[in-house]
């Protein structure tokens, strides 16, 4: 990344996330000054220690200087501890704020935006990238303050002891800085690639968890194992490269330090021989120089830590900035329903501007309090019609009204409050049965939950479970059968008591007893409700007041079952081949 881009990201991180923690950072700054002062005082105390204790053998200094050295080390240790505690909290809170914003973006983003990016990459942003930012804000900032002050204090002491030796010592610092800058450029690119690979690995792991049964039934374990090896190998190699660059500073700094100490000893010998430097000054200066080694080394890698954190920020911030395409207009009003009659007026829709239209100038009418079925071959646009009603997507043109109120001029909250959805891909949470039903209505009483469980024929299988309504059902209801999951989804929709029901019938066949229970539960759910159903079963179609035949994004025909069998060859073909009798 270019310097100007990094600068913009750094300024934004400070203004939006770090500035509010300025008090804690200032405390850490003061404590860093104490650390620097304590470190330099340790080196300075060697001057009187050598002179007064070893040369002059002063008894007072023999016990007072050791005490002062203990005080210096203790103050350094305690100050560093409290500085780290403060700055760790800042780093974690900044990372937490970023994680919350990414999570909030996922929760509030329009479905189309989420469809265009793998969930694994979002997880990587939350887990991997925010950790890099946390490392920058905590470790990076503290080291910058602590080590900068320590170097300044120790170099000042060096000049105090002997300015000629000090000039020699600081000649090595610009070399270390130039080397660090070179490494920083290399590590920036590698960190960016590692972040991408981390997202790829998370996506892959997510896929193999979801497809665990398919992998085994098609015996793809070896193939997927090779894919895992390849992705992990790439990530391992990239991390090795990053850490190799990070530790590359060690041999260079060690070599530079070796030259510096060798030159220092040689030069010191000359100065002592010339009477310009005393032995006690020499030891104090040597201690200051050795103590300066660690902070100089740390500062030489600070720009690498910055590159890691800022590269991660560059991946996180665009997600946070992503605008929701589905929003309320300023003049939006709450939707009120009477009959809950839904009308599509000349609607055009495509998932991508460059792709062909999924719906083409389509007009539909779903009568209030009645059931309307949508039938048609896969890919004809039926699911899109369902998804447009709760505004999961917005059309390119046209309008949808409910009781003569445009849903685009109504608040999204009031619209979705009137809609319940039962999909063939049942979504359940890794929680109790009670909480899964209660998800539709947070303040529902136990009596209400038990009532809808009974009406949806869930009660009979719930009572057989060890903890009844408090039974944990596993990820996406893995501990339940397909029929049980469907009934639980119907119970949840019943609890919401919305005026509009969107139903995508499951295509999978169930045993006749379970099928009968589900059909009875759906009849109770949809009674006197405006119901739009993607129908796959004859019983559903026969119960419908109207049927729309959808073909290639258009209404091919409409009417009741008997009429369509006579007048619509498309419907007759669909009925004979696809509808489950």
């Amino acid at each position: 990344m270019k310097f100007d881009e990094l600068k913009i990201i750094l300024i934004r991180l400070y203004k939006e996330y770090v500035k509010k923690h300025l008090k804690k950072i200032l405390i850490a700054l003061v404590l860093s000054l104490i650390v620097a002062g304590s470190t330099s005082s340790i080196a300075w105390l060697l001057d009187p220690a050598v002179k007064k204790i070893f040369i002059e053998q002063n008894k007072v200094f023999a016990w007072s200087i050791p005490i002062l050295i203990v005080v210096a080390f203790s103050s350094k240790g305690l100050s560093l501890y409290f500085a780290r505690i403060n700055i760790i909290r800042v780093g974690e809170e900044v990372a937490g704020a970023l994680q919350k914003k990414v999570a909030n973006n996922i929760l509030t983003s329009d479905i189309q935006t989420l469809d265009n990016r793998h969930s694994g990459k979002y997880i990587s942003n939350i887990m991997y990238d925010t950790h890099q930012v946390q490392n920058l804000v905590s470790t990076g900032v503290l080291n910058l303050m602590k080590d900068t002050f320590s170097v300044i204090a120790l170099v000042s002491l060096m000049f105090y002891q002997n300015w000629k030796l000090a000039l020699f010592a600081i000649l090595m610092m610009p070399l270390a800085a130039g080397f660090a800058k070179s490494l920083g450029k290399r590590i920036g690119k590698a960190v960016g690639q590692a972040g991408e690979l981390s997202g790829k690995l998370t996506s892959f792991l997510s896929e193999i968890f979801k497809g665990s049964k398919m992998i085994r039934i098609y015996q793809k374990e070896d193939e997927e194992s090779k894919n895992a090896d390849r992705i992990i190998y790439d990530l391992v190699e990239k991390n090795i490269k990053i850490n190799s660059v990070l530790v590359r500073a060690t041999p260079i700094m060690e070599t530079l330090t070796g030259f510096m100490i060798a030159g220092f000893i040689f030069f010191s010998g000359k100065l002592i021989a010339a009477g310009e430097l005393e032995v006690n000054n020499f030891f104090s200066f040597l201690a200051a120089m050795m103590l300066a080694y660690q902070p100089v080394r740390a500062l030489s890698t600070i720009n690498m830590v910055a590159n890691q954190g800022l590269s991660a920020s560059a991946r996180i911030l665009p997600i946070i900035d992503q605008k929701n395409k589905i929003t309320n207009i300023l003049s939006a009003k709450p939707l009120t329903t009477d009959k809950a009659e839904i009308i599509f007026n000349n609607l055009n829709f495509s998932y991508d501007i460059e792709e062909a239209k999924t719906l083409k100038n389509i007009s539909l009418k779903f009568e209030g309090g009645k059931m309307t079925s949508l039938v048609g071959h896969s890919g004809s646009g039926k699911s899109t019609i369902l998804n447009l009603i709760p505004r999961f997507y917005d059309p390119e043109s046209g309008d949808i009204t409910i009781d003569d109120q445009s849903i685009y001029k109504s608040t999204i909250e009031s619209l979705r409050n009137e809609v319940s959805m039962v999909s063939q891909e049942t979504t359940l949470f890794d929680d109790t049965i009670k909480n899964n039903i209660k998800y539709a209505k947070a303040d529902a009483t136990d009596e209400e939950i038990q009532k809808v469980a009974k009406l949806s024929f869930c009660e009979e299988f719930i009572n057989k479970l060890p903890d009844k309504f408090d039974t944990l059902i596993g990820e996406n209801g893995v501990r339940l059968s397909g029929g049980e999951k469907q009934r639980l989804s119907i119970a949840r929709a019943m609890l919401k008591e919305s005026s509009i029901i969107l139903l995508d019938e499951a295509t999978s066949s169930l045993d006749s007893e379970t099928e009968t229970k589900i059909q009875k539960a759906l009849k109770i759910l949809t009674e006197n409700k405006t119901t739009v159903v993607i129908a796959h079963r004859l019983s559903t179609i026969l119960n419908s007041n109207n049927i729309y035949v959808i073909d290639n994004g258009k209404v091919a025909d409409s009417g009741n079952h008997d009429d369509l069998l006579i007048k619509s060859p498309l419907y007759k073909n669909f009925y004979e081949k696809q509808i489950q009798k």
Side-chain angles (χ1 to χ4, degrees), residues 165 263-277:
L165 283 177
F264 163 73
I265 292 171
F266 175 78
F267 195 29
S268 296
K270 293 278 188 181
L271 291 174
I272 291 171
E276 294 182 35
L277 182 70

Side-chain angles (χ1 to χ4, degrees), residues 406-462:
S406 172
I407 64 171
Y408 307 108
K409 295 179 181 178
S410 303
T411 61
I412 296 169
E413 295 77 12
S414 63
L415 166 66
R416 292 177 182 169
N417 193 50
E418 295 295 333
V419 180
S420 287
M421 178 176 274
V422 180
S423 174
Q424 60 174 296
E425 296 178 2
T426 306
T427 300
L428 297 171
F429 300 97
D430 187 7
D431 205 339
T432 62
I433 285 177
K434 177 182 176 180
N435 287 339
N436 268 280
I437 297 173
K438 199 175 180 180
Y439 198 77
K441 187 180 178 183
D443 59 349
T445 63
D446 288 347
E447 289 74 20
E448 289 175 308
I449 293 167
Q450 288 164 9
K451 180 183 176 182
V452 296
K454 186 175 183 180
L455 291 172
S456 60
F457 299 91
C458 290
E459 198 174 50
E460 57 186 58
F461 75 79
I462 291 172

Side-chain angles (χ1 to χ4, degrees), residues 376-378 536 573-581:
H377 296 289
S378 179
H536 300 289
N573 176 270
F574 181 79
Y575 167 73
E576 291 172 349
K577 292 183 179 180
Q578 295 193 35
I579 293 176
Q580 297 179 23
K581 311 296 193 294

Side-chain angles (χ1 to χ4, degrees), residues 23 33 159 227 315 354 462 487 500 556:
K23 185 178 178 180
L33 285 167
F159 272 98
N227 288 334
R315 292 189 293 274
E354 297 177 2
I462 291 172
R487 281 180 275 172
I500 297 167

Side-chain angles (χ1 to χ4, degrees), residues 1 184-194 238 241 307 311:
M1 290 180 71
K185 289 179 180 178
R186 294 182 185 182
I187 206 170
K189 184 179 180 182
V191 167
Q193 292 170 343
K238 198 59 62 180
K241 183 177 180 180
N307 266 292
S311 295

Side-chain angles (χ1 to χ4, degrees), residues 189-258:
K189 184 179 180 182
V191 167
Q193 292 170 343
E196 292 297 322
L197 286 170
S198 175
K200 193 174 180 181
L201 176 61
T202 312
S203 301
F204 174 77
L205 293 173
S206 175
E207 293 290 342
I208 62 173
F209 276 122
K210 291 177 184 176
S212 57
K213 292 178 182 176
M214 290 299 104
I215 290 168
R216 285 157 180 76
I217 202 68
Y218 290 113
Q219 300 178 64
K220 294 289 184 180
E221 292 94 337
D222 290 341
E223 185 179 325
E224 294 300 341
S225 180
K226 288 176 183 176
N227 288 334
D229 288 346
R230 177 176 48 80
I231 295 168
I232 292 169
Y233 174 81
D234 288 343
L235 182 58
V236 167
E237 286 299 309
K238 198 59 62 180
N239 284 329
I240 288 172
K241 183 177 180 180
I242 291 167
N243 286 294
S244 296
V245 173
L246 284 171
V247 300
R248 201 174 293 172
T250 302
I252 302 296
M253 290 300 296
E254 294 287 350
T255 304
L256 287 173
T257 305

Side-chain angles (χ1 to χ4, degrees), residues 272-458:
I272 291 171
E276 294 182 35
L277 182 70
E278 293 182 14
V279 174
N280 55 298
N281 301 128
F282 167 77
F283 279 106
S284 179
F285 190 99
L286 180 62
M289 189 173 69
M290 297 301 290
L291 287 169
Y293 167 72
Q294 189 279 328
V296 168
R297 182 182 172 186
L299 288 171
S300 72
T301 60
I302 199 77
N303 70 321
M304 299 178 211
V305 175
N307 266 292
Q308 286 179 299
L310 295 174
S311 295
S313 300
R315 292 189 293 274
I316 296 171
L317 293 175
I319 297 168
I320 293 171
D321 293 339
Q322 183 74 48
K323 299 296 182 185
N324 192 345
K325 297 174 185 175
I326 311 295
T327 56
N328 290 322
I329 62 170
L330 291 174
S331 58
K333 297 178 180 178
L335 180 75
T336 56
T337 57
D338 180 20
K339 296 179 180 179
E341 182 177 82
I342 307 169
I343 296 176
F344 280 52
N345 291 310
N346 304 318
L347 218 69
N348 289 286
F349 177 82
S350 63
Y351 287 98
D352 194 301
I353 296 171
E354 297 177 2
E355 294 178 1
K357 289 182 179 178
T358 308
L359 298 180
K360 303 163 186 175
N361 204 39
I362 199 167
S363 294
L364 304 161
K365 182 177 180 180
F366 304 107
E367 290 189 60
K370 297 181 179 180
M371 180 183 286
T372 304
S373 284
L374 303 173
V375 299
H377 296 289
S378 179
S380 60
K382 306 183 300 296
S383 295
T384 302
I385 291 170
L386 245 63
N387 287 329
L388 287 170
I389 294 171
R391 288 191 69 188
F392 290 158
Y393 305 92
D394 276 353
E396 294 174 12
S397 61
D399 194 14
I400 300 174
T401 62
I402 297 176
D403 288 343
D404 298 320
Q405 303 160 87
S406 172
I407 64 171
Y408 307 108
K409 295 179 181 178
S410 303
T411 61
I412 296 169
E413 295 77 12
S414 63
L415 166 66
R416 292 177 182 169
N417 193 50
E418 295 295 333
V419 180
S420 287
M421 178 176 274
V422 180
S423 174
Q424 60 174 296
E425 296 178 2
T426 306
T427 300
L428 297 171
F429 300 97
D430 187 7
D431 205 339
T432 62
I433 285 177
K434 177 182 176 180
N435 287 339
N436 268 280
I437 297 173
K438 199 175 180 180
Y439 198 77
K441 187 180 178 183
D443 59 349
T445 63
D446 288 347
E447 289 74 20
E448 289 175 308
I449 293 167
Q450 288 164 9
K451 180 183 176 182
V452 296
K454 186 175 183 180
L455 291 172
S456 60
F457 299 91
C458 290

